[in-house]
Amino acid sequence: MKIPYYPGCTLNTVAKQFDTSAREAASIIGFEMKELAQWNCCGATFPLTPDNVIGLTAPAKVLSNARKEGDTLTTLCSVCYNVLKRTNKVIRDNKEKRNVINGFIEEEYDGSVNILHYLEVLRDKVGFDKVKGAVKRPLTGIKAATYYGCMLLRPFEDIGIDNAERPTIFEDLLRALGAEPVEFANKIECCGAHLAMNNEEVVTNLSGKVMTSAVDAGADLIVTTCPLCQFNLEKSQPKVAEADTGYRPVPVVYFTQALGLALGQDIETLGFEKNSSDIMPLLKKKGIA
Amino acid sequence: MKIKLSNSDIQSTEVRRLERISGEDVKRCYQCGNCSGGCPVSYAMEIPPTKVMRFLQLGNIEEVRNSNSMWLCVGCLQCYSRCPQGVSVAAILEGMRQDTLRKGVSRTEVAEVPFPFLKKAPQQAIVCGFRKFVG
Ligand code: SF4
Ligand code: SF4
């Protein structure tokens, strides 16, 4: 199985370990992520006002390029996924906007690509049972906090990957990998997102609440699906630990790194050294590495 | 506090314009407070989401524009997911933000963004931040 794949800017640069671990895991499980021959930035935010049609042209260009390579497109970053999926729906359902957008990008795209998050590929195309069957290094004894954030889930009627208030797709994957998912209060709350640019205080507060609620629930690992969540959590963690001496810092990793680990990939190739939190002490403690 | 209302305030053309930009009808809000309850940044907003809606219903867009609320909204859509009336405060605040940015007024100037941030941050944060804060 070959699936056209859109990495997006961040996975091509500062989150390279997210990209490489996902490709490697795919090849172990038995499918290939075929990077689009041509792609550009998705715009990194879906325009929240309907009058902003120009903001839809960049993702529309990605989608029309993807259509030339097949009828499905997968992506890993929650924001890319959100922007592409929502834009696709506008193009499919709104003829007037479709014409304007196609006029701008000089294409005839109709919204017929099916956008799947990598988690959906694993659940719906591969099957979590098959993933479980491929596990060589189960994450036994690890209590994992599956941090969804916002963009993977909302708005429900446009995204629909899972129940928007009580999702389980992410926990189901971690369970298949042998880990024990923990239930924590802020798993679908915001990390502070783009406020990283000008409001460190709010980001530290929001990311802090996510991590504190995870650790209070007993987590020894936080798993993410978005490079901005990953960045905000990792950057905030030392400040959270400084402000609250009772806080116990935990490693934060991309879900594909956890996946690769469980599938038995060479630990050296998972790019953990690119994360700013260190997972190795935990792996040693649990007898996994 | 004594509030003086006039029909011309409530019929504010600026609010009507914001409704056109955002696609929202401010009168749909019945002030239940769910949006402020779900909003992760309402604690830091000078005017939290429910009150934003009330000010707009009363035609007082200026009060909202002078507050920090539109710049703090992270677009997480908790307000919209939980609104029993299907109102998106996120769209309203983005409409106000865009209206300001389109006039060339920035919240953050590119030169103010710290270099270490630009070097280390995910591209998506930089692109998104520029789109949300730079006019
Ligand atoms: S989208 Fe904005 S206003 Fe709505 S809950 Fe999130 S931060 Fe608050
Ligand atoms: S949740 Fe909806 S109806 Fe309730 S106060 Fe907020 S905008 Fe108004």
Side-chain angles (χ1 to χ4, degrees), chain B residues 35 38-42 45 49 72-80 89-90 93:
Chain B
C35 48
C39 175
V41 289
S42 60
M45 284 181 176
L72 286 182
C73 169
V74 285
C76 71
L77 298 185
Q78 281 294 30
C79 50
Y80 172 66
V89 185
L93 292 173

Side-chain angles (χ1 to χ4, degrees), chain A residues 13 43 48-49 154 157 198 227, chain B residues 76 80 94 98 108 123 131:
Chain A
T13 49
L48 298 174
T49 57
R154 292 187 288 274
E157 69 273 23
N198 65 7
Chain B
C76 71
Y80 172 66
E94 175 135 313
Q98 268 173 11
T108 301
Q123 275 63 22
R131 291 185 64 186

